[in-house]
Amino acid sequence: MARALINVPPTAKPGAIIEIKTLISHPMESGYRVGLNGQIIPRDIITTFVCTYNGEEIFRAELSPAIAANPFLSFFTRATVSGTIAFRWTGDNGFSVSESAEIVVE
Amino acid sequence: MCRLLVAGLLLWSLAAAAEIPLAERRSGAAMMGPDLRAMQEDDSANPAGLWLLDGAALWSRRLGEAGQSCADCHGDVTTSMAGVAARYPVVDLAGGPPMDLEQRINLCRTTRQQAPALALESRDLLALTGLVARQSRGLAIAIDDGPAAQPFIAAGRALFLRRQGQLNLSCAQCHDDNWGRHLGGAVIPQGHPTGYPLYRLEWQGLGSLQRRLRNCMTGMRAEPYAYGSAEAVLLELYLRWRARGMPMDAPAVRP
């Protein structure tokens, strides 16, 4: 079960700069390690992270094999209107997790 | 002359193995950089939070022949488990051997829930242990060191002082005598288990104190104690008693 921790301030003043923090559970297996049987452990990583604010993309990251397990991403955006901030992680072996958080701007 | 020298060396080694005075004890967290400390203290950045989410789900899942969840007996984990982890390992009042938190959780599973015990060091057991330990964060470690516990603490201390492995080292030689100095690039900590189970960056996952002890023993080229073995729990008990009164910071982050 892939779990994600999202931290979005529940409320913000219009125009305020807010920090968004995300953490997701994932092994981020690099594809370069050798298992106990001498075989290469196949790559299994998250490749893309996208954040949208009321449907509009505000942040995107491409992840690579050198990134540690359970990737933590934090970034800033400007709170404009109330709405939904949605997160989507996609990766190898059909990995896909979506989360969202509501923000009230007033 | 030779005998004097040997006697002198023996005295020196006894003196060097003295315990760290209570006031000079420092948690591993105090030896970390500010970045790691910030990571540990921010609930949304501490990766152990992912295990706590799993633990909270397990806490209320009904299972076993009894069809009961942890919550059915204990209720809200934040109130019922406050301060519990700070007391573990505990010594059985009937005079039995000490029992650590993982074993206690498994005892609850097998007797109350009538479900199979969780494998030691499995993700589910770490998640539940982490959830329980989280409720003691900030509280002082309070190991019962009454008459029933004394022989077990002494046995744990004997293991702590015992030289072992191909490097012929004891735990005390690093963690009592040479803490604060460097072993390779890393600072040798005093070895106070305030934050277990903890997220170790090297592991990229949550691990128990016993896993950490096994790492140390492998480094000493000694045969590591098996998970849940009597020695492992005795050493755990002694280490927790040695850190008595220090605040818990579980689930911690360590390099």
Side-chain angles (χ1 to χ4, degrees):
Chain A
M1 83 192 117
R3 300 223 173 247
L5 270 171
I6 308 292
N7 189 327
V8 175
T11 58
K13 293 211 156 44
I17 291 174
I18 55 167
E19 183 177 15
I20 295 172
K21 295 189 262 194
T22 71
L23 180 66
I24 185 160
S25 99
H26 195 284
M28 292 299 278
E29 187 58 58
S30 70
Y32 296 111
R33 296 199 308 156
V34 178
L36 291 175
N37 57 3
Q39 302 285 307
I40 296 282
I41 304 171
R43 192 185 92 161
D44 179 18
I45 64 168
I46 296 173
T47 48
T48 314
F49 168 77
V50 179
C51 174
T52 58
Y53 190 165
N54 279 342
E56 187 191 350
E57 184 173 312
I58 56 165
F59 182 86
R60 168 182 288 266
E62 286 177 10
L63 289 87
S64 65
I67 292 173
N70 310 318
F72 173 74
L73 291 169
S74 94
F75 49 94
F76 294 87
T77 190
R78 193 178 292 278
T80 48
V81 288
S82 298
T84 306
I85 300 184
F87 309 88
R88 188 175 178 83
W89 295 261
T90 48
D92 296 337
N93 306 317
F95 183 84
S96 176
V97 170
S98 300
E99 284 283 341
S100 64
E102 301 296 319
I103 183 167
V104 176
V105 178
E106 57 188 4
Chain B
M1 178 63 201
C2 193
R3 238 180 237 172
L4 255 181
L5 195 68
V6 169
L9 273 175
L10 202 70
L11 264 181
W12 176 82
S13 67
L14 281 178
E19 283 176 34
I20 302 167
L22 291 187
E24 285 174 32
R25 292 176 309 166
R26 289 170 66 200
S27 143
M31 297 186 183
M32 301 195 301
D35 286 354
L36 271 187
R37 246 176 296 161
M39 184 180 177
Q40 171 176 312
E41 278 152 28
D42 180 349
D43 278 339
S44 55
N46 185 336
L50 298 167
W51 276 258
L52 297 185
L53 289 177
D54 282 350
L58 289 168
W59 185 260
S60 50
R61 183 180 302 161
R62 293 200 168 90
L63 48 82
E65 301 237 328
Q68 285 202 314
S69 71
C70 309
D72 285 339
C73 283
H74 298 286
D76 184 2
V77 67
T78 55
T79 49
S80 63
M81 291 296 129
V84 169
R87 298 196 293 269
Y88 273 79
V90 291
V91 169
D92 188 354
L93 285 179
M99 176 167 54
D100 65 13
L101 191 54
E102 284 85 351
Q103 291 170 327
R104 186 65 190 83
I105 289 170
N106 266 338
L107 185 67
C108 237
R109 275 181 72 90
T110 51
T111 59
R112 306 287 177 189
Q113 294 179 305
Q114 293 168 35
L118 291 165
L120 296 175
E121 217 56 26
S122 62
R123 187 178 171 104
D124 281 0
L125 185 55
L126 286 168
L128 274 174
T129 318
L131 180 72
V132 173
R134 175 69 179 81
Q135 316 311 326
S136 293
R137 192 182 262 196
L139 301 175
I141 295 174
I143 297 296
D144 170 25
D145 52 4
Q150 282 300 336
F152 296 109
I153 293 173
R157 178 166 158 76
L159 293 173
F160 187 76
L161 296 176
R162 188 174 81 182
R163 285 172 177 255
Q164 51 186 325
Q166 291 179 323
L167 298 186
N168 196 28
L169 282 170
S170 73
C171 310
Q173 281 175 304
C174 278
H175 299 290
D176 270 355
D177 301 348
N178 286 300
W179 63 267
R181 297 174 75 180
H182 285 75
L183 188 64
V187 181
I188 301 173
Q190 294 181 347
H192 296 300
T194 55
Y196 287 89
L198 56 74
Y199 190 90
R200 197 166 173 225
L201 301 187
E202 190 184 311
W203 294 335
Q204 302 199 9
L206 204 68
S208 69
L209 172 56
Q210 291 191 11
R211 181 173 178 190
R212 187 68 193 83
L213 295 177
R214 285 169 59 89
N215 276 186
C216 248
M217 296 180 77
T218 306
M220 291 151 68
R221 300 188 203 162
E223 188 186 339
Y225 299 139
Y227 284 116
S229 64
E231 288 102 332
V233 180
L234 284 173
L235 190 53
E236 212 177 333
L237 173 70
Y238 169 67
L239 288 173
R240 295 274 293 168
W241 175 79
R242 184 171 167 264
R244 63 200 178 279
M246 295 176 76
M248 298 263 294
D249 58 353
V253 175
R254 293 287 185 273

